């Protein structure tokens, strides 16, 4: 067990990553804490792990996400401080949105900076994540009233690199409707060997210039406290698939997810334009995903008497914004599914049957759910901000809620346009097949003489 993997928040994308690593690496051991009460995990997990990870002379590498206060851990466990220490950033606290500036807890961002200083390698899941963190260190540290540390960005930057979050794309062929056949054929290639694809820049990145140009606007930003072929839908395959979506397994009827009865659930055959547009929103039910903007756009579509279906997926935590219960009632029969789907099969089934996936996020450093939906043949609509320009071509980006509303209005009127569309972006650079070699290289090292 030469690799010690620590995950203080073992859920969502954090869980997906370390599970992949543990499965792929022969000599590793994993220690975790449940994905609950994130703030307390960030504050106290180092002490817990220091007491519960047994000492071993076999450890050579320590891999942890940035939720862990790595500085505290290595101070408490000097044996772990000698290892090659790799810190992986799923998100960073320097630009994490808060409702009010005074609510920002300085300690979380400060802990991440300290962890970078003691780490040997710092890995980010996107260029946006890395640059937004590094270029905001100076502004963030100005919150200290006096005797501020200096030159932290120049100390940390040489340790940093980007390795995209790796997605293991499942076989969803049994869920795909017939009109997504061409898309499915393209996606099946992702399950093979992606070899050199992980180092290739994306077409729209090349058009927009280098990562420095892509993110040069950070210097001007305020600091933390500054104010496809169309098919006949009457086929038995399509009807069977769509009916399955509307009648998922009993697991999806659990308290986590509720299936809403709808008189329009099954298609009546004929042209693709007859079946209402199916919009999916597969994000955490928290304020940083800006559900208010999403539901405001949907209510505008209803006011215009446009026909659509919506599935609102994603995990919920202790505090669920009131907008969800209010919107569920207001949307009424337009709701196809409401709530978290614990079954991955049921989750991917809904994505396969949807037409458009929407993000209204005010915070996103990668966006696993959006890429999973695109893999399942959904047309993505994302803000022209955050990480999205790094991942998606320009035609899938919108600048204002009004632009999002206009795009959805057009799709509601002509859903066949979306169903004929073949995604123009790249998916290979984000696949586990393409990235597993980089992670294996990262997690191997020659034994150190001082161990």
């Amino acid at each position: 067990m030469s690799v010690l993997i620590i995950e203080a928040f073992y859920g969502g994308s954090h869980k997906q990553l370390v599970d992949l690593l543990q499965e792929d690496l022969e000599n590793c051991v994993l220690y975790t804490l449940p994905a609950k009460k994130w703030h307390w995990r960030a504050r106290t997990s180092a002490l817990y792990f220091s007491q519960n990870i047994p000492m071993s002379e076999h450890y050579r590498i320590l891999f942890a996400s940035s939720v862990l206060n790595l500085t505290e851990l290595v101070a408490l466990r000097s044996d772990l401080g000698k290892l090659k220490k790799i810190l992986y950033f799923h998100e960073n606290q320097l630009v994490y949105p808060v409702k009010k500036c005074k609510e920002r807890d300085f300690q979380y961002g400060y802990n991440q900076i300290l962890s970078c200083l003691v780490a040997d390698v710092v890995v980010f899941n996107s260029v946006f994540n890395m640059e937004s963190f590094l270029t905001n260190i100076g502004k963030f540290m100005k919150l200290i009233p006096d005797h501020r540390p200096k030159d932290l960005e120049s100390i940390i930057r040489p340790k940093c690199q980007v390795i995209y979050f790796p997605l293991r794309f499942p076989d969803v062929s049994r869920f795909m409707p017939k009109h997504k056949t061409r898309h499915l054929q393209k996606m099946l290639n992702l399950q093979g060997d992606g070899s050199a694809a992980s180092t290739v820049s994306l077409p729209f990145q090349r058009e927009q210039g280098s990562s420095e140009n892509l993110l040069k606007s950070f210097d001007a930003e305020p600091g933390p406290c500054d104010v496809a072929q169309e098919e006949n839908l009457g086929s038995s395959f399509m009807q069977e698939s769509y009916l399955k979506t509307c009648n998922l397994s009993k697991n999806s009827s659990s308290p986590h997810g509720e299936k809403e009865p709808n008189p329009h659930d099954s298609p009546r055959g004929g042209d693709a334009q007859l079946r209402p547009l199916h919009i999916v929103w597969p994000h955490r039910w928290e304020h940083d995903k800006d559900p208010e903007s999403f539901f405001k756009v949907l209510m505008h579509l209803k006011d215009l008497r446009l026909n659509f279906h919506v599935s609102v997926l994603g995990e919920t935590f202790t505090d669920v914004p009131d907008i969800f219960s209010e919107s569920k009632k207001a949307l009424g029969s337009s709701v196809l599914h409401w709530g978290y789907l614990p079954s991955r099969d049921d989750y991917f089934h809904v994505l396969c049957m949807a037409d458009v996936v929407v993000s209204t996020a005010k915070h996103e450093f990668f966006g696993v759910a959006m890429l999973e939906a695109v893999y399942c043949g959904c047309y993505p609509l994302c803000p022209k901000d955050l990480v999205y320009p790094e991942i998606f071509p320009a035609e899938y980006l919108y600048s204002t809620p009004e632009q999002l509303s206009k795009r959805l209005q057009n799709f509601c009127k002509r859903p066949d346009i979306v169903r004929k569309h073949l995604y123009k972006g790249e998916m290979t650079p984000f696949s586990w097949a393409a990235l597993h070699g980089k992670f294996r290289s990262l997690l191997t090292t020659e034994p150190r003489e001082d161990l």
Side-chain angles (χ1 to χ4, degrees), residues 16 167-177 179-180 183-184 187 238 241-242 244-246 248 252 275 277-283 309-314 336-337 339-341 343-359 367-380 418-419 427:
Q16 288 183 45
L167 289 166
R168 172 168 281 175
F169 296 107
D171 179 5
V172 295
S173 57
R174 64 195 184 280
F175 303 141
M176 281 287 195
H179 69 270
K180 291 185 177 181
H183 174 82
L184 175 62
M187 292 300 108
M238 181 60 201
S241 297
Y242 198 81
K244 283 180 181 178
T245 300
C246 302
L248 294 172
S252 66
R275 181 163 56 86
L277 185 77
H278 184 175
I279 304 165
V280 64
W281 193 86
H283 311 286
H309 288 156
V310 62
S311 291
V312 179
L313 311 179
L336 274 186
H337 187 88
Y340 175 64
L341 288 169
S343 164
R344 294 291 287 173
D345 276 357
D346 287 348
Y347 170 72
F348 279 106
H349 198 161
V350 173
L351 294 184
C352 286
M353 301 314 299
D355 299 311
V356 178
V357 60
V358 174
S359 170
V368 173
M370 291 298 294
L371 283 169
E372 288 175 337
V374 170
Y375 171 73
C376 292
C378 294
Y379 187 106
V418 175
R419 293 169 187 150
M427 294 291 285

Side-chain angles (χ1 to χ4, degrees), residues 360-425:
T360 46
K362 294 184 291 186
H363 140 255
E364 192 59 78
F365 297 106
F366 185 72
V368 173
M370 291 298 294
L371 283 169
E372 288 175 337
V374 170
Y375 171 73
C376 292
C378 294
Y379 187 106
L381 288 174
C382 321
K384 192 176 182 180
D385 196 9
L386 309 170
V387 73
Y388 295 118
E390 184 180 340
I391 294 178
F392 296 99
E395 74 172 89
Y396 304 108
L397 308 177
Y398 65 87
S399 298
T400 65
E402 292 74 23
Q403 288 184 7
L404 172 61
S405 179
K406 187 65 176 178
R407 297 289 297 275
L408 289 176
Q409 289 175 44
N410 293 335
F411 291 160
C412 284
K413 295 172 185 176
R414 289 291 308 276
D416 57 307
I417 294 176
V418 175
R419 293 169 187 150
K420 292 182 208 177
H421 182 80
L422 195 63
Y423 180 65
K424 298 177 182 178

Side-chain angles (χ1 to χ4, degrees), residues 99-125:
K99 292 180 181 178
K100 298 179 181 178
C101 183
K102 65 181 180 181
E103 294 179 0
R104 184 182 299 279
D105 191 321
F106 178 82
Q107 198 65 38
Y108 299 129
Y110 184 66
N111 288 350
Q112 288 187 329
I113 292 171
L114 291 179
S115 292
C116 288
L117 292 171
V118 302
D120 298 298
V121 182
V122 182
V123 184
F124 293 84
N125 60 357

